[in-house]
Amino acid sequence: MSEKSFSFTIEPWSVVHENKEYQTPIFNLLSRKMQLEAEDEHNEGMFYVLDAPEWVNVIPVTEKNEVVLVEQYRYGVEEPTLEIPGGMVDPGEGPKTAIQRELVEETGYISDNWSSLGRVSSNPAIMNNFTHLFLAEGCRFEGFKEADGDEHERIKIHKMPMQEFLSLAADGTVHHTIVLAAVARYLLRQR
């Protein structure tokens, strides 16, 4: 991705005190006392942040220009979703290694042609992590490998032409925000 072309001018807040309020296997809830010291303003407040690991996702495209998708049940919205493969970056793992692992674990596909679509803030209002977006071209089915995957993760794999996938993103069938961010970055790259 290119260099940032906007110069931010608002003053940053600084952390006065931070406390871990709650811990789960996926995220920690932090409370932060923060303050702003600006020329004409002093402000202080308590804020709550979900401390989560970095995430990754990929638009995997086969040689026939088909997108490899995963259908899975999502417990938050209590319904199935259609998404591109993705997951969490494990400790000691880089984003590209993580997404290569996730792609083969979830779909059995691999690729030798990877490119970055950049990163996006997962939800900067309340979360401190980023999602790293990738494009994998020339994907081919290699087969599934034994993994330490999530025992509750049930996935059905779908392949469809790129234009059909983009239509499903446009009509709201594909509604996962981070997936749509990857689609936006993919389309911006095509201009």
Side-chain angles (χ1 to χ4, degrees), residues 18-32 47-52 126-128:
E18 180 175 276
N19 189 50
K20 186 188 301 182
E21 299 290 334
Y22 192 76
Q23 181 174 343
T24 76
I26 299 174
F27 64 86
N28 297 319
L29 174 62
L30 306 177
S31 62
R32 286 183 179 161
F47 299 90
Y48 295 88
V49 175
L50 292 176
D51 175 36
I126 61 168
M127 299 183 78
N128 65 358

Side-chain angles (χ1 to χ4, degrees), residues 11-16 33-47:
E11 299 89 351
W13 289 60
S14 53
V15 176
V16 175
K33 183 176 183 181
M34 299 186 75
Q35 71 180 11
L36 171 66
E37 293 288 342
E39 285 182 24
D40 57 348
E41 182 181 2
H42 173 78
N43 201 340
E44 197 171 270
M46 288 298 294
F47 299 90

Side-chain angles (χ1 to χ4, degrees), residues 26-156:
I26 299 174
F27 64 86
N28 297 319
L29 174 62
L30 306 177
S31 62
R32 286 183 179 161
K33 183 176 183 181
M34 299 186 75
Q35 71 180 11
L36 171 66
E37 293 288 342
E39 285 182 24
D40 57 348
E41 182 181 2
H42 173 78
N43 201 340
E44 197 171 270
M46 288 298 294
F47 299 90
Y48 295 88
V49 175
L50 292 176
D51 175 36
E54 298 290 281
W55 296 336
V56 288
N57 71 19
V58 60
I59 299 176
V61 183
T62 68
E63 291 178 0
K64 294 181 180 179
N65 204 33
E66 294 174 313
V67 181
V68 181
L69 300 168
V70 293
E71 176 186 355
Q72 58 188 318
Y73 186 84
R74 289 300 196 177
Y75 308 101
V77 294
E78 298 184 39
E79 63 183 51
T81 62
L82 188 62
E83 306 173 12
I84 57 178
M88 295 189 308
V89 177
D90 288 341
E93 190 177 46
K96 186 175 177 185
T97 301
I99 195 54
Q100 289 172 329
R101 173 185 50 76
E102 287 285 350
L103 179 61
V104 75
E105 282 179 8
E106 292 187 356
T107 69
Y109 279 79
I110 64 169
S111 173
D112 297 322
N113 188 3
W114 289 82
S115 54
S116 173
L117 295 173
R119 69 179 190 156
V120 294
S121 301
S122 302
N123 182 349
I126 61 168
M127 299 183 78
N128 65 358
N129 69 332
F130 286 87
T131 300
H132 302 267
L133 313 172
F134 291 90
L135 174 66
E137 296 175 288
C139 290
R140 62 193 181 280
F141 187 74
E142 174 89 351
F144 291 96
K145 297 180 179 175
E146 286 295 317
D148 298 330
D150 183 342
E151 67 178 300
H152 302 295
E153 189 174 58
R154 291 179 56 237
I155 293 176
K156 290 188 178 178

